[in-house]
Structure formats: structure tokens, C-alpha cells
């Protein structure tokens, strides 16, 4: 979900925001578990040759993929949350000046 200045931030918006954050957290958790899984396989087959050597290389690539995917999603969520916090801080400051 892309956030722009033209978005009306009401209860429905923040309900959707919460839903998106929970969904992204589930996806990040999935990638973290997969990265851990492939890390264990990589460490268990380290220094092996033959079929286990191929498994080692495959596990390393999969670990890197899941790690990078999880980090990418996490950074995007942090940016979105930061934008929301800045918006809400500005909103609160402007409301305080009107009273």
C-alpha cells in the first residue's frame, strides 16, 4: 500500500494499516525461519564434497535470498511507520496550536 499526501487518514485507514503491518510481519517471520533453516543446513554441510557440497552451496544461496527478502520487507515497513509517525506528530502539533 503506497502512502501519499492525498490519503484520508481515518479509522478505516489505520485498520488497513494495522492489517498490512500484521501481514508483513508474518511474511518477515516466514523468511526469518527459512533463513535460519538454510543456515543450519549450510553449517551442517560445511566442508563436505560431492552431493553434500552441492547442498551446501544451495543452502547458502537460499539463506541469502530469505535473509535479503526479510530485510527488504522490514526496511519498507520501518519507512512506512516512520512516515506515519511524522504525519501524526505534525497533526498533533498543528492541533495543539489551534486550541
Amino acid at each position: 500500500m503506497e502512502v501519499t499526501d492525498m490519503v484520508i487518514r481515518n479509522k478505516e485507514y489505520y485498520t488497513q494499516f494495522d492489517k498490512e503491518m500484521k501481514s508483513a510481519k508474518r511474511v518477515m517471520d516466514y523468511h526469518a525461519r527459512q533463513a535460519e533453516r538454510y543456515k543450519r543446513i549450510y553449517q551442517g554441510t560445511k566442508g563436505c564434497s560431492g552431493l553434500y557440497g552441492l547442498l551446501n552451496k544451495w543452502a547458502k544461496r537460499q539463506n541469502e535470498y530469505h535473509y535479503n527478502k526479510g530485510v527488504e520487507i522490514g526496511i519498507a515497513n520501518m519507512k512506512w511507520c516512520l512516515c506515519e509517525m511524522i504525519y501524526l506528530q505534525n497533526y498533533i502539533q498543528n492541533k495543539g496550536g489551534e486550541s
Side-chain angles (χ1 to χ4, degrees):
M1 181 174 192
E2 188 66 31
V3 178
T4 62
D5 290 332
M6 300 303 290
V7 173
I8 298 173
R9 288 174 168 88
N10 55 14
K11 184 175 179 2
E12 291 82 24
Y13 172 81
Y14 285 110
T15 301
Q16 182 66 24
F17 175 80
D18 187 49
K19 182 179 172 185
E20 294 281 335
M21 285 294 131
K22 286 179 181 179
S23 173
K25 183 183 180 305
R26 280 192 307 274
V27 173
M28 283 188 327
D29 287 344
Y30 166 78
H31 285 294
R33 284 191 310 272
Q34 292 300 315
E36 280 295 320
R37 177 178 169 232
Y38 289 115
K39 179 182 175 184
R40 285 193 302 273
I41 294 171
Y42 171 74
Q43 290 173 337
T45 58
K46 199 174 210 177
C48 295
S49 60
L51 187 57
Y52 288 112
L54 292 174
L55 181 61
N56 179 269
K57 290 177 185 177
W58 176 75
K60 182 178 180 182
R61 282 195 307 269
Q62 291 298 313
N63 171 269
E64 290 171 353
Y65 169 78
H66 287 289
Y67 173 83
N68 291 333
K69 198 69 167 167
V71 167
E72 178 184 312
I73 294 167
I75 289 172
N77 285 344
M78 287 178 62
K79 285 179 183 178
W80 191 11
C81 287
L82 181 61
C83 289
E84 288 301 316
M85 287 189 298
I86 290 170
Y87 172 81
L88 290 171
Q89 182 179 13
N90 290 338
Y91 180 79
I92 290 169
Q93 287 175 350
N94 290 340
K95 281 291 188 179
E98 292 176 5
S99 297

